[in-house]
Amino acid sequence: MKAWVLHNIDDLRLSEVKLPVLSRGEVLVRVKCAGICSSDVQRVFVSGAYHYPIILGHEFSGIVEKAYSDAEASWIGKRVGVYPLLPKFANEGYRTDGYETSSDYGYLGSRQDGGFAEYVAVPVWNLIEIPEKIGFEEAAMLEPTSVAFHAVRQIDFTHVRNVAVIGNGTIGHLIAQWLSIYGVPKITLVGRQDVLPEEVDVCFEVVGSVEGLERCITATKPNGQIVVVGNPPADFHLEQKIYWQILRKQLVVRGTWNSRFPDDWRKVLDAVGGGRLFLSDFITHRFGFFDLAAAFEMVKRKEEQHLKILIHI
């Protein structure tokens, strides 16, 4: 099969590789659509991957074409979205609650081969069937949409009327849409340098920068809430006077990580299928499979404003 293989930083090549060998509990998914995440761009051009060679891509959808055994055969022919986190279930409690917080896990597209390929081996536990009225593009966006939903679920909505979101990329826009669905009256979505309201009930930091966190702390009113979403590329430190504000304003600071499967994903499907969330609105660019490198270069050179970039395979 053909796949885009990362061999080192800034060394992404279209290659002919062997089909994945299925293990017990796995099926072979033919990828139909995959999304480029900012973390993919970071791995290709800046930080690199956990190991090489590797096939990136953790936002993808497709059709199940083959099963390891009869036990998984009922999935053959089904249209699916794929949850990329592979919990090891070392602690049985993770089966029902909090497995996304486990430190013992695999991950399609970062720790093992993912969706920038014609085929991917996926455990059936990680599959969610998508109804016919939802297309492969929307299904490829289930992962970032569920991440945004999981972030929004971290807050207590009691008396929340004014929310700011710092970070106007895909996740920031999706968080703003979820807040709207939840009925928040005032939502302010800003970029890195845009002006924030003076006081908000809740602030989401989606950039992953010390400046973004400082702005959240300063803008959030006493007894307010902060949700930290952005993944920082390096260490950073808070000034003492900023840290004091957390104490003196008695702020609640919550982290959020990934999404919970299948609960978050089913609620996303319900929102999309019910016409409350229109994921196609966030797609700004579409590329063919053979043009994936060009899509990465476009992002690297910052040639065009973009939200979600999708690859059709």
Side-chain angles (χ1 to χ4, degrees), residues 60-76:
F60 62 97
S61 61
I63 299 175
V64 177
E65 286 203 356
K66 183 180 178 182
Y68 175 80
S69 69
D70 289 345
E72 302 85 23
S74 62
W75 282 95
I76 294 176

Side-chain angles (χ1 to χ4, degrees), residues 35 63 83 91 118 147 198 214 249 259 271 279:
I63 299 175
Y83 179 60
N91 180 335
E118 292 183 300
V147 167
E198 288 189 3
E214 288 176 348
K249 292 199 286 187
S259 61
L279 298 185

